[in-house]
Amino acid sequence: MMINHACRKCGFLVLFFLMLLAANGLAQPKQPLKLWYKQPSGRVWENALPIGNGRMGAMIYGNVEKELIQLNEHTVWSGGPNRNDNPLALDSLALVRQLIFDGKQKEAERLANRVIITKKSHGQKFEPIGSLQLAFEGHENFSDYRRELDIERAVATTTYTANGVTYTRQAIASFPDRVVVMRLSANKAGSLSFGATFATPQKRATIATTPAKELTISGITSDHESVKGMVQYKGIVRMKLEGGTLTANDTALMVRGANAVTIYISAATNFINYSDLGGDADKRAADFLNKAYAKSFAAMLPTHVAGYQKYFNRVKLDLGTTEAASLPTDERLKGFNKVADPNFVTLYYQFGRYLLISSSQPGGQPANLQGIWNDKINPPWDSKYTININAQMNYWPAEKTALPELHEPFLRMTRELAQTGQQTARDMYGARGWAAHHNTDIWRATGAIDGATWGVWSAAGGWMSQHLWEHYLYSGDKAFLADIYPVIKGAATFYVDFLVEHPKHKWLVINPDSSPENAPAAHQGSSLDAGTTMTNQIIFELFSTAIRAAKILNKDAAFSDTLEQLRKRLPPMQIGQHGQLQEWLDDIDDPKDEHRHISHLYGLFPANQISAYRTPELHSAAKTTLTHRGDVSTGWSMGWKVNWWARMLDGNHAYKLIQNQLSPVTPGSRGGGTYNNLFDAHPPFQIDGNFGCTSGITEMLMQSAGGEVHLLPALPDVWQAGSVRGIKAIGGFELVQMEWKAGKLVKAVVRSKLGGNLRLRVPNAVKLVGGTGLRPATGNNANIYYQVDATPTPIISEKAKVQPIALQETVVYDLPTVGGKTYTFVAQ
Ligand code: FUC
């Protein structure tokens, strides 16, 4: 009796313990980070799985009978070197400005459409090369099908059984070898027979085979909007057979009876840089191919995986795992808003990092609106760079998720725009420095495009320059700062010349200006205005950055003084009648406006001018604005909102946005969300939302832009326990490890690369293991990377009711650190 009773009790205890573990998400075995499916992609591109090495991108459909490997190369763009400034702008500038100051925004818009918006190219297109098609006869009936993308190794695998034979296809876009390779094998000798050819939407492509039995595609990209296509591209496919025979006709290769086949695909163009097309596409493609072909797939695989994991393995995230994690990815996506699946957030988070590693590599082109994956000859928005939010968003995860090298293509594009944008500043606005409008492309065009609603916005230079500064803040690399300082200075110089005095307020404002893509009804539905909040924030931030950079480099004292004087005359932020942060100088925001752009919250994120601790009134106004705009929106808008709610220190609301973003959508349907392959849906596919959400999840776990390192600033109730390793804070701090339980910090290990004061804000009291020196924080943070300029006092409408937001208790410490040392904190 006694024994039975004891056993029952112990059974209950075990059950209780298991439930506890399950609640903490720790009961399930660790799930590999894989996207996987029980069915082929069919014809749906948004089902296919992306691989890439920053030079080549490929979408693997995993179709059994007709496999498709859709191919991109990062420099295959329509057109050639060109400019699109409108020289009429300068003569009409005074008139446009006068109309705006007179409140005749619509008239100004009509004029701007004639004199500011380009008469030339509205930007060129990122074009696909085409698809390699593999046709397998007799494979219409198959079983045991599975396709997957292993994002821990960057390998896409398809397996199935047909006619009693199990077939395996593995594909990689090799990082060191710069080629796409697929290895096909079967568990029975002599079973591989298929034909291979290219299909392409390119109009001037030649598909051919060579005497060496290679399949090639070559041509010249499209003419577009009066710009002649000048990019010559070449793609080469060469196969290595184990057994069997290879034959070729004019446009196809045929494999018969092979045991295994390795398909090597290389691609290259004549593109050297935005003004030089002097490369040799044929030679480059052949060189990459020949080097790779000398190696077996087995030899290439480990170096590929190592090249990938060098980046990927730097960050680990564990939010717990439940049973849902064992389902196929499309089923997990469907169920995400219904069942607890915290591991799905980890998968999506790491997929964002996977996509950045795969689409952005040093020396390559930056990730565009679709990263490096596009199958359309006329892609949405040309698959180019929208630089009033989207391209910047692509790079939000770069520094904080420990991928700083991958920021390089975007930083280089900024430097290049600082070259091409000088003529734009001079010819269009009579200003020094450099200017870029809301879009650019591989030719680094900086004119105003699309129409005044979108194109009349010249704050891209300021925003993009901040990325250069951010790279410095994270790395402390002073030589880099000295190198890029002229770019920051040039952007600031443009605004020095372009600011004008507002006749009523006497503030210095940009005119013409707009708050990206929004158009207030109170201004005749026109976007044009002077001194919009976002632009004021960007210039405030840029001037502050330029002043600080000049001081660090010990130069340009007079220029800094000018910037300081001008900065004082910028409009402060304003809290309007509804308690909202005003988007425009006039208090005209419509609380029912749900526009996807909430540009005036730039000051909250990515900038740090609005903060819970430093500017509580503005923080409250930002919340009102966020609430007015609502949650559900386009993909990237929801991605931005995750970051904003993290900065609101509201983890549950940030999580709600993750749920909104992880809503399943199918191609052609309306509403933002996520496709089966976890690509973000604007819709259509736009990669920014993937990157924005990855940044936002990091911001929920650690923030460092506000003058301190804040751990667990926005933890949602559903992530009560978890751990993260390897994310980065500015000033060279690495969060080597952090564990939390029941919403409280259990342990944090911080490595200091550069030394300096570590100001640490945590949700509960901690102690330093094996050391002294941890003290309650006092005064300003002395760390040079954590200096934050005071936000000018806002103007608050008499009608506004500004409710201070109740904040959770936190504890703030200072700890002097030494470069190279690691510090461990545990809960008290
Ligand atoms: C801007 C956004 C759109 C879209 C496009 C690429 O124009 O307003 O939503 O993201 O860029």
Side-chain angles (χ1 to χ4, degrees):
M1 280 292 280
M2 276 297 285
I3 290 169
N4 272 345
H5 180 72
C7 271
R8 249 180 63 199
K9 206 163 133 191
C10 119
F12 279 136
L13 271 178
V14 169
L15 190 69
F16 178 67
F17 186 63
L18 281 178
M19 275 167 62
L20 255 186
L21 281 179
N24 278 336
L26 302 173
Q28 296 291 322
K30 193 186 160 300
Q31 286 292 325
L33 293 170
K34 287 182 178 179
L35 282 66
W36 72 277
Y37 308 83
K38 287 180 177 164
Q39 63 289 326
S41 299
R43 292 167 158 264
V44 181
W45 187 85
E46 292 82 352
N47 285 344
L49 295 170
I51 59 172
N53 57 18
R55 284 357 195 259
M56 288 185 73
M59 295 293 283
I60 311 293
Y61 280 65
N63 289 346
V64 173
E65 270 188 279
K66 198 183 224 186
E67 175 64 298
L68 290 176
I69 305 165
Q70 187 263 308
L71 295 164
N72 289 102
E73 200 272 357
H74 65 140
T75 60
V76 175
W77 283 69
S78 70
N82 74 94
R83 297 196 59 88
N84 59 358
D85 309 302
N86 189 337
L88 298 176
L90 192 52
D91 276 352
S92 302
L93 185 58
L95 183 52
V96 172
R97 281 178 162 162
Q98 194 56 50
L99 288 169
I100 290 172
F101 281 144
D102 289 348
K104 296 176 183 161
Q105 283 89 349
K106 201 74 201 175
E107 221 176 307
E109 185 180 311
R110 279 194 287 271
L111 180 58
N113 270 322
R114 277 199 289 117
V115 299
I116 294 181
I117 297 304
T118 188
K119 296 278 171 279
K120 296 184 172 161
S121 159
H122 290 257
Q124 296 299 313
K125 306 180 288 174
F126 176 55
E127 297 188 333
I129 294 179
S131 299
L132 179 66
Q133 301 186 339
L134 309 177
F136 297 80
E137 264 169 48
H139 285 209
E140 55 275 10
N141 295 318
F142 56 88
S143 60
D144 304 317
Y145 179 89
R146 178 185 164 110
R147 68 188 170 99
E148 67 169 41
L149 176 65
D150 178 351
I151 63 166
E152 289 176 62
R153 297 169 70 239
V155 181
T157 306
T158 307
T159 49
Y160 61 94
T161 302
N163 307 317
V165 180
T166 298
Y167 292 89
T168 304
R169 302 174 191 158
Q170 283 178 288
I172 58 172
S174 166
F175 285 90
D177 291 312
R178 294 180 60 152
V179 289
V180 169
V181 187
M182 181 181 268
R183 178 172 160 83
L184 301 95
S185 58
N187 70 349
K188 190 174 156 218
S191 307
L192 272 167
S193 298
F194 60 93
T197 191
F198 272 119
T200 180
Q202 289 283 348
K203 297 278 179 306
R204 295 187 287 209
T206 305
I207 297 166
T209 55
T210 68
K213 291 181 194 156
E214 294 165 330
L215 177 66
T216 63
I217 181 165
S218 55
I220 194 150
T221 56
S222 313
D223 304 338
H224 184 56
E225 298 188 347
S226 324
V227 183
K228 223 172 128 36
M230 292 173 71
V231 176
Q232 292 162 5
Y233 59 88
K234 175 75 169 267
I236 315 176
V237 172
R238 199 190 291 166
M239 302 202 191
K240 200 183 267 175
L241 270 61
E242 292 159 49
T245 58
L246 177 67
T247 54
N249 67 20
D250 285 352
T251 55
L253 303 177
M254 272 81 60
V255 174
R256 286 275 162 264
N259 307 328
V261 179
T262 308
I263 306 178
Y264 297 78
I265 311 167
S266 79
T269 72
N270 60 344
F271 181 93
I272 292 176
N273 62 45
Y274 68 88
S275 61
D276 183 356
L277 291 175
D280 183 337
D282 291 349
K283 183 173 176 328
R284 284 170 162 182
D287 284 351
F288 295 143
L289 185 78
N290 289 336
K291 272 205 193 114
Y293 195 81
K295 302 175 194 172
S296 67
F297 185 76
M300 286 175 83
L301 189 59
T303 58
H304 161 71
V305 172
Y308 171 72
Q309 290 186 340
K310 166 180 146 197
Y311 299 114
F312 185 77
N313 285 355
R314 290 173 185 169
V315 172
K316 299 251 183 291
L317 175 65
D318 184 359
L319 300 171
T321 302
T322 57
E323 222 162 67
S326 56
L327 295 173
T329 304
D330 45 347
E331 290 176 36
R332 290 176 80 180
L333 178 62
K334 282 200 191 90
F336 182 67
N337 282 315
K338 296 173 211 142
V339 296
D341 190 359
N343 178 266
F344 197 54
V345 178
T346 302
L347 181 69
Y348 188 72
Y349 175 81
Q350 293 288 26
F351 185 55
R353 296 184 66 247
Y354 168 84
L355 292 174
L356 194 65
I357 301 168
S358 305
S359 63
S360 183
Q361 285 285 314
Q365 289 300 313
N368 61 48
L369 282 171
Q370 299 190 185
I372 193 171
W373 299 281
N374 163 44
D375 66 332
K376 297 189 171 58
I377 198 77
N378 290 310
W381 293 286
D382 301 330
S383 193
K384 53 186 187 292
Y385 301 98
T386 310
I387 48 179
N388 67 13
I389 169 63
N390 314 85
Q392 286 90 335
M393 183 178 277
N394 287 0
Y395 286 87
W396 288 349
E399 301 289 338
K400 64 184 80 149
T401 80
L403 304 171
E405 302 94 325
L406 310 188
H407 212 166
E408 190 273 342
F410 184 82
L411 303 180
R412 183 162 26 88
M413 178 160 82
T414 306
R415 293 175 193 235
E416 290 172 349
L417 293 178
Q419 300 290 323
T420 57
Q422 287 174 26
Q423 193 175 328
T424 301
R426 188 186 65 222
D427 290 1
M428 290 183 65
Y429 302 118
R432 297 167 302 156
W434 65 279
H437 295 90
H438 95 296
N439 244 273
T440 191
D441 58 13
I442 199 170
W443 312 113
R444 308 306 186 234
T446 43
I449 69 158
D450 287 352
T453 305
W454 302 273
V456 178
W457 180 81
S458 53
W463 189 344
M464 293 181 74
S465 294
Q466 250 353 89
H467 279 251
L468 298 167
W469 177 242
E470 192 196 28
H471 188 68
Y472 163 73
L473 285 182
Y474 274 86
S475 64
D477 184 346
K478 212 165 147 184
F480 171 81
L481 183 67
D483 197 31
I484 55 82
Y485 173 74
V487 176
I488 293 177
K489 184 179 177 186
T493 305
F494 170 69
Y495 298 113
V496 168
D497 286 3
F498 199 42
L499 285 164
V500 285
E501 187 179 84
H502 193 288
K504 184 167 133 213
H505 302 289
K506 307 296 173 202
W507 290 318
L508 293 179
V509 293
I510 293 300
N511 181 10
D513 191 15
S514 66
S515 187
E517 310 191 17
N518 203 356
H523 288 170
Q524 311 106 47
S526 165
S527 293
L528 264 56
D529 203 12
T532 67
T533 300
M534 180 201 230
T535 299
N536 305 336
Q537 291 166 342
I538 288 176
I539 298 177
F540 180 89
E541 191 184 30
L542 174 69
F543 283 6
S544 306
T545 293
I547 293 165
R548 207 171 288 290
K551 206 161 277 162
I552 294 166
L553 297 170
N554 200 18
K555 64 206 288 185
D556 283 342
F559 181 64
S560 293
D561 186 55
T562 302
L563 297 183
E564 272 183 48
Q565 300 312 318
L566 298 181
R567 190 177 59 170
K568 283 188 205 143
R569 297 192 54 201
L570 294 171
M573 282 186 259
Q574 302 186 80
I575 299 176
Q577 54 183 321
H578 312 288
Q580 89 285 11
L581 182 70
Q582 283 182 209
E583 185 162 3
W584 296 277
L585 286 185
D586 295 333
D587 190 358
I588 52 172
D589 301 83
D590 175 358
K592 296 212 169 62
D593 177 8
E594 293 190 336
H595 202 280
R596 62 195 177 284
H597 288 261
I598 321 178
S599 303
H600 44 317
L601 293 189
Y602 176 88
L604 176 65
F605 183 90
N608 60 8
Q609 295 159 41
I610 300 173
S611 139
Y613 301 105
R614 287 179 287 108
T615 66
E617 288 164 329
L618 286 168
H619 197 243
S620 165
K623 183 174 182 181
T624 304
T625 293
L626 268 174
T627 309
H628 286 170
R629 286 290 169 95
D631 294 339
V632 173
S633 189
T634 57
W636 63 258
S637 179
M638 295 191 281
W640 202 346
K641 286 171 188 168
V642 179
N643 293 271
W644 280 321
W645 282 108
R647 289 277 171 99
M648 294 310 309
L649 310 179
D650 188 337
N652 286 338
H653 209 130
Y655 184 75
K656 156 127 199 316
L657 262 304
I658 296 174
Q659 285 185 304
N660 292 146
Q661 203 172 353
L662 286 171
S663 303
V665 298
T666 46
S669 67
R670 291 166 72 90
T674 299
Y675 296 114
N676 275 342
N677 63 2
L678 301 191
F679 269 169
D680 175 71
H682 175 287
F685 163 51
Q686 228 176 266
I687 206 161
D688 38 23
N690 287 96
F691 295 133
C693 193
T694 291
S695 164
I697 292 165
T698 317
E699 289 280 323
M700 293 165 77
L701 302 174
M702 176 166 78
Q703 295 174 15
S704 69
E708 56 193 24
V709 176
H710 190 173
L711 300 183
L712 301 176
L715 200 61
D717 294 343
V718 289
W719 300 345
Q720 282 300 292
S723 66
V724 67
R725 287 168 180 266
I727 55 177
K728 299 273 176 111
I730 62 175
F733 293 113
E734 181 189 352
L735 188 59
V736 178
Q737 187 192 349
M738 173 165 75
E739 280 166 39
W740 67 94
K741 274 207 183 92
K744 297 277 177 246
L745 184 67
V746 174
K747 184 179 180 187
V749 181
V750 178
R751 184 180 299 138
S752 169
K753 193 178 109 195
L754 306 170
N757 185 53
L758 170 63
R759 177 158 294 180
L760 197 63
R761 186 184 286 274
V762 283
N764 48 287
V766 295
K767 60 184 184 219
L768 178 66
V769 177
T772 54
L774 189 67
R775 304 257 179 281
T778 46
N780 288 332
N781 186 352
N783 189 314
I784 56 160
Y785 304 102
Y786 281 82
Q787 302 308 303
V788 178
D789 292 78
T791 304
T793 313
I795 296 175
I796 305 179
S797 160
E798 282 169 10
K799 295 187 199 150
K801 288 193 202 71
V802 183
Q803 304 282 352
I805 301 172
L807 299 174
Q808 297 220 325
E809 289 284 310
T810 53
V811 196
V812 194
Y813 299 99
D814 278 337
L815 175 71
T817 69
V818 176
K821 287 231 154 86
T822 299
Y823 301 85
T824 301
F825 307 89
V826 291
Q828 272 185 18

